[in-house]
Amino acid sequence: MAAERGGCALEAVPLPPEVRESLAELELELSEGDITQKGYEKKRAKLLARYIPLIQGVDPSLQAENRVPGSSQATAGVAKQQKSRSTNSRDERFRSDVHTEAVQAALAKYKERKMPMPSKRRSVLVHSSVETYTPPENHSAPPDVTTGLVEYLHHERPQVASVRGVPRGYSSSILETADGVPVNSRVSSKIQQLLNTLKRPKRPPLKEFFVDDFEELLEVQQPDPNQPKPEGNQVNVLKGEPLGVVTNWPPSLLAALQRWGTTQSKAPCLTALDTTGKAVYTLTYGKLWSRSLKLAYTLLNKLTTKNEPLLKPGDRVALVFPNSDPVMFMVAFYGCLLAELIPVPIEVPLTRKDAGSQQIGFLLGSCGVTLALTTDACQKGLPKAQTGEVVTFKGWPRLMWFVIDGKHLAKPAKDWHPQVRDASAEIAYIEYKTSKEGSTVGITVSHASMLAHCHALTQACGYSEAETLTNVLDFKREAGLWHGVLTSVMNRMHVISIPYALMKVNPLSWIQKVCSYKARVAVVKSRDMHWSLLAQRDQRDVSLSSLRMLIVADGANPWSISSCDAFLNVFQSRGLRPEVICPCASSSEALTVAIRRPSELGGPPPGKAVLSMNCLSFGVIRVDTEEKLSVLTVQDVGQIMPGASMCVVKVDGTPYLCKADEVGEICVNSGATGTAYFGLLGITKNVFEAIPVTAAGIPVSDQPFTRTGLLGFVGPDYLVFVVGKLDGLMTVSGRRHNADDVVATALAVEPMKFVYRGR
């Protein structure tokens, strides 16, 4: 009864429309069981808190229901409904006569006012009315969205009787239908449902569901006041030794090939081995020159499509050769250069849907490649379509395959001669690189850069004519290409190419060939040294005394030092001298960055640094002791290349110069670097056109620098130390770690025993 009297008192108080709406909604939620009685009373008291004095001050004579004709019957009906709802869940709201009456009343009123039938399209009008609704001037609270809708429904649309009964404890104004029949409702059920929907809070954006977690997990890390900070002076640009002037130096790499091919035609250029270690063929400089001429002539004059030449100077051509065939690759590479075509060496696709080759296909498509050169043996191993032709690999452009074996090449006409030009800024070749995300890009190297790089390597390594070099690396890219295919031809060297398949069968094969050919230089990776240590017990009659340089191509990796030290300990008794081991650092973009020189070439003694890994994670260099477990021991990679300038810049943001005890990215300015990412102007500008600046923001040079992607610093004697790569950088809670360190840790704990595949 108290609740009823409170309801009656409310009728005598002029409550704002939105408050009455909220009360009605609250009553409906209580009647439908969406809220408990306790929750209902709590929310109702909160809504009426500011109006309680008004209610308590109302005259008792006014605390009566607003009567309308038939109010006694209506009151009885309400009481009856409340009683029936307490005993039976199926109440008056679902009786067919009530539903029929409400529908008829609504139809009659619509017909009387000649208004259109309600439809979902009216929601646009409803939305506009809500937006243009102005709250009453005497109400200071923010407007409720549904208030404007109610106003619109009361003025623009007829009142429709609801199919719902009056909820328990609900006392509202009794509306009339068009026929004058009193119905205990304000609006139809559809409109009521719309009101309920609008009253619900809108679903928050997805990120707001996790706002609390983000605030906890991604809270801005406050710097530890005790963390190490760089204290040294700013390191200025470091300049390498100048490139020496060589008398009678060829004006281009092709000019060198022409010279050796015509004047030293019998000199050995390249020896290929089979999987048993037997020499199967030795390519002379005369044969390399003549075969390259035949291929260049054939590509330009014998390949046609619709009576038009298939290729024109500047076109890109794919070179698809296995690692076991360096001879044919070398002929294809120099044949393309003579024809003024741009070779794009790639790997042989393994299957039609090989994931790695899909990225290579994207590169070929972006380079506009339409022709692929290969050998007869390699083509037979490629998957074929039903027509017998090589299938189109997934993600690849449609290619024409051309076999370059001797029987397919035409003899050049007597009046045809290639144009052997001086080195220029035009693209010589494109080398592919796969990033850590798996995407493949093509790095362009100009004829001038190729010549300058050969010149710098010749000076840094002290190469001379007729030297023998053993190459264990992939001859299609990076150090294997630079030393074993390009610089070797510049200096008329003899290269012994060790196929990867032979290394898998006999890890000592490269050492045996160094011994048998009396090789002066060997180009390897730390893995090759590691494998040879495992197999060295089977071979005791080898000598490495002929070596003057053992170039470790991945000397920048943190685990290479352990391989170098272990290799020296075992093979020093077999003629290997400590100063022979020469680690180097390189990147696909900057080519060779630094290399350790032998003492005979005036290089400083080797350097070693034992660094605190805790300080390295903050980008700070602090020397520690080897007794601790949390240290990283790195070896130097020598001095920067001749003719180059180098600086170390901050990893993030503007490339400010680092301090002397700070780790940063190594940048190089030289005429012997890559020039661009083919077809990618945006990232080309960021990587190949970096402008390092001082702390005051002043550029250190008017020439752009190339970012190497190597993280390191400059130590004593201007030795370069590399502690990681940008591609392997992991930032956790504001501290930097390198993926290579994880690999080094795995190797240090005997992975065959402790580290399992897939874990």
Side-chain angles (χ1 to χ4, degrees):
M1 294 298 295
E4 291 179 3
R5 284 195 301 271
C8 295
L10 285 178
E11 293 298 326
V13 178
L15 296 177
E18 60 270 17
V19 177
R20 292 188 179 275
E21 287 293 328
S22 300
L23 287 172
E25 286 296 320
L26 205 57
E27 297 285 355
L28 188 61
E29 289 179 9
L30 178 64
S31 65
E32 293 181 349
D34 293 339
I35 189 174
T36 63
Q37 181 68 30
K38 186 176 180 181
Y40 158 76
E41 293 173 355
K42 186 176 180 180
K43 289 187 176 182
R44 184 176 183 275
K46 188 175 180 180
L47 283 171
L48 299 177
R50 60 184 298 180
Y51 305 105
I52 287 176
L54 296 176
I55 297 172
Q56 292 175 345
V58 172
D59 192 310
S61 62
L62 299 177
Q63 294 183 0
E65 291 190 26
N66 292 340
R67 305 280 180 181
V68 295
S71 60
S72 59
Q73 292 89 340
T75 304
V78 171
K80 186 176 181 180
Q81 278 187 338
Q82 291 175 347
K83 183 177 180 180
S84 64
R85 290 183 68 178
S86 64
T87 58
N88 190 353
S89 61
R90 184 170 179 82
D91 55 23
E92 292 290 324
R93 292 181 298 164
F94 301 100
R95 285 182 53 185
S96 60
D97 54 344
V98 176
H99 174 73
T100 303
E101 181 183 14
V103 172
Q104 289 178 348
L107 290 175
K109 201 157 189 177
Y110 271 102
K111 184 176 180 181
E112 178 180 313
R113 294 195 179 189
K114 297 182 180 181
M115 294 184 67
M117 293 297 290
S119 71
K120 292 183 179 179
R121 297 176 185 271
R122 294 300 295 272
S123 62
V124 177
L125 299 177
V126 173
H127 182 68
S128 63
S129 68
V130 171
E131 289 180 345
T132 57
Y133 170 73
T134 304
E137 294 180 0
N138 61 348
H139 184 55
S140 60
D144 188 354
V145 174
T146 58
T147 305
L149 180 62
V150 171
E151 293 291 331
Y152 166 76
L153 293 173
H154 276 258
H155 294 90
E156 299 293 333
R157 304 183 71 173
Q159 297 291 349
V160 183
S162 172
V163 295
R164 296 180 183 270
V166 180
R168 183 171 47 216
Y170 175 62
S171 177
S172 65
S173 301
I174 299 178
L175 307 177
E176 291 186 356
T177 63
D179 296 329
V181 180
V183 180
N184 294 313
S185 177
R186 293 166 295 124
V187 289
S188 71
S189 60
K190 289 290 184 183
I191 299 175
Q192 183 66 50
Q193 185 178 3
L194 179 60
L195 285 171
N196 295 342
T197 302
L198 289 175
K199 272 189 170 292
R200 294 193 192 105
K202 291 182 179 179
R203 175 175 295 190
L206 184 60
K207 65 179 183 180
E208 291 188 16
F209 282 107
F210 308 98
V211 66
D212 292 336
D213 293 341
F214 272 128
E215 289 176 355
E216 295 172 6
L217 299 177
L218 301 182
E219 183 179 357
V220 177
Q221 294 287 333
Q222 297 298 326
D224 183 357
N226 299 320
Q227 77 179 41
K229 297 179 181 178
E231 302 169 352
N233 296 325
Q234 179 179 279
V235 178
N236 295 321
V237 175
L238 181 65
K239 293 186 178 296
E241 61 189 274
L243 272 175
V245 178
V246 182
T247 57
N248 203 23
W249 185 257
S252 68
L253 186 58
L254 290 179
L257 174 60
Q258 184 181 34
R259 175 193 297 177
W260 306 132
T262 55
T263 64
Q264 301 285 339
S265 60
K266 300 295 184 182
C269 174
L270 176 68
T271 296
L273 308 177
D274 61 13
T275 53
T276 65
K278 181 181 178 181
V280 292
Y281 187 78
T282 296
L283 179 70
T284 64
Y285 278 93
K287 285 292 186 182
L288 175 59
W289 172 248
S290 62
R291 289 189 181 183
S292 299
L293 281 178
K294 284 184 178 180
L295 178 58
Y297 177 78
T298 303
L299 292 176
L300 292 178
N301 298 279
K302 298 300 180 181
L303 299 183
T304 59
T305 172
K306 297 180 180 178
N307 297 325
E308 292 290 334
L310 179 66
L311 301 170
K312 61 181 182 299
D315 285 351
R316 276 73 61 191
V317 177
L319 306 189
V320 186
F321 295 88
N323 289 336
S324 58
D325 200 347
V327 171
M328 299 305 288
F329 171 82
M330 208 166 187
V331 171
F333 189 90
Y334 282 102
C336 286
L337 295 185
L338 284 171
E340 299 184 20
L341 302 173
I342 301 173
V344 185
I346 61 173
E347 304 299 332
V348 178
L350 301 177
T351 62
R352 184 172 185 174
K353 296 182 179 180
D354 180 37
S357 69
Q358 290 184 35
Q359 291 296 331
I360 293 292
F362 174 77
L363 171 64
L364 297 180
S366 63
C367 290
V369 173
T370 58
L371 178 71
L373 305 183
T374 188
T375 62
D376 189 46
C378 182
Q379 188 192 41
K380 288 179 180 178
L382 296 174
K384 305 291 192 303
Q386 293 181 350
T387 59
E389 297 180 351
V390 178
V391 299
T392 299
F393 297 96
K394 186 176 181 182
W396 284 41
R398 186 171 182 83
L399 298 179
M400 173 182 173
W401 292 81
F402 182 69
V403 174
I404 67 165
D405 295 71
K407 60 184 178 181
H408 299 284
L409 303 182
K411 187 177 180 179
K414 291 183 179 181
D415 58 346
W416 183 84
H417 299 284
Q419 294 183 348
V420 180
R421 305 176 186 273
D422 292 353
S424 66
E426 294 179 353
I427 300 175
Y429 68 93
I430 296 176
E431 182 174 315
Y432 80 88
K433 175 194 175 183
T434 303
S435 67
K436 65 179 180 180
E437 295 88 6
S439 59
T440 301
V441 294
I443 298 168
T444 63
V445 179
S446 68
H447 284 274
S449 294
M450 183 170 62
L451 178 67
H453 191 217
C454 290
H455 191 176
L457 283 177
T458 299
Q459 181 171 326
C461 301
Y463 286 142
S464 59
E465 290 183 26
E467 273 194 316
T468 302
L469 179 147
T470 302
N471 182 25
V472 190
L473 308 183
D474 182 4
F475 49 78
K476 297 189 295 294
R477 57 195 301 262
E478 296 184 339
L481 174 70
W482 306 333
H483 290 266
V485 175
L486 305 179
T487 308
S488 61
V489 169
M490 181 64 70
N491 293 281
R492 194 174 64 83
M493 297 171 67
H494 180 199
V495 176
I496 313 298
S497 184
I498 311 293
Y500 185 72
L502 174 59
M503 286 293 294
K504 291 170 65 177
V505 175
N506 181 12
L508 275 176
S509 57
W510 71 274
I511 296 178
Q512 295 167 351
K513 297 309 172 186
V514 167
C515 181
S516 60
Y517 283 93
K518 300 293 188 253
R520 300 282 287 154
V521 181
V523 186
V524 301
K525 285 190 174 181
S526 54
R527 64 162 190 218
D528 306 317
M529 304 167 74
H530 180 74
W531 288 353
S532 61
L533 288 174
L534 301 178
Q536 56 89 19
R537 297 183 185 88
D538 303 330
Q539 189 78 30
R540 299 188 179 278
D541 57 344
V542 294
S543 173
L544 297 178
S545 59
S546 64
L547 280 180
R548 66 172 185 83
M549 282 191 80
L550 178 58
I551 300 174
V552 185
D554 62 342
N557 286 332
W559 64 79
S560 65
I561 185 173
S562 59
S563 296
C564 292
D565 290 347
F567 189 82
L568 178 62
N569 290 336
V570 171
F571 286 96
Q572 190 169 5
S573 61
R574 303 182 191 182
L576 182 67
R577 292 168 291 152
E579 64 271 16
V580 165
I581 298 178
C582 299
C584 74
S586 63
S587 73
S588 298
E589 292 83 358
L591 309 187
T592 307
V593 176
I595 187 168
R596 186 190 292 176
R597 275 74 148 176
S599 56
E600 63 190 48
L601 296 178
K608 180 185 293 187
V610 181
L611 307 175
S612 165
M613 292 196 72
N614 175 62
C615 295
L616 280 179
S617 67
F618 292 104
V620 179
I621 303 160
R622 292 290 182 268
V623 177
D624 215 323
T625 58
E626 281 189 287
E627 289 75 21
K628 295 183 179 179
L629 295 176
S630 58
V631 296
L632 177 68
T633 304
V634 293
Q635 62 184 350
D636 72 281
V637 291
Q639 296 174 312
I640 65 173
M641 294 296 288
S645 299
M646 191 194 80
C647 64
V648 182
V649 302
K650 294 184 181 295
V651 175
D652 302 317
T654 304
Y656 289 105
L657 292 179
C658 288
K659 295 182 178 180
D661 57 345
E662 186 177 8
V663 174
E665 183 179 7
I666 297 173
C667 296
V668 172
N669 168 253
S670 169
T673 65
T675 53
Y677 293 117
F678 187 88
L680 302 172
L681 299 179
I683 59 175
T684 290
K685 186 173 183 62
N686 182 50
V687 173
F688 292 93
E689 301 176 19
I691 305 294
V693 296
T694 64
I698 302 173
V700 299
S701 171
D702 57 353
Q703 297 294 322
F705 280 66
T706 299
R707 294 178 178 268
T708 65
L710 302 175
L711 302 177
F713 60 94
V714 180
D717 294 325
Y718 302 109
L719 293 175
V720 179
F721 290 84
V722 176
V723 297
K725 296 179 180 178
L726 204 59
D727 272 354
L729 193 63
M730 302 179 293
T731 303
V732 182
S733 299
R735 300 175 65 178
R736 299 200 295 251
H737 308 276
N738 204 276
D740 288 339
D741 296 336
V742 180
V743 177
T745 303
L747 293 175
V749 297
E750 296 187 46
M752 297 300 291
K753 294 182 180 179
F754 298 101
V755 182
Y756 300 92
R757 184 184 297 275
R759 298 259 178 113

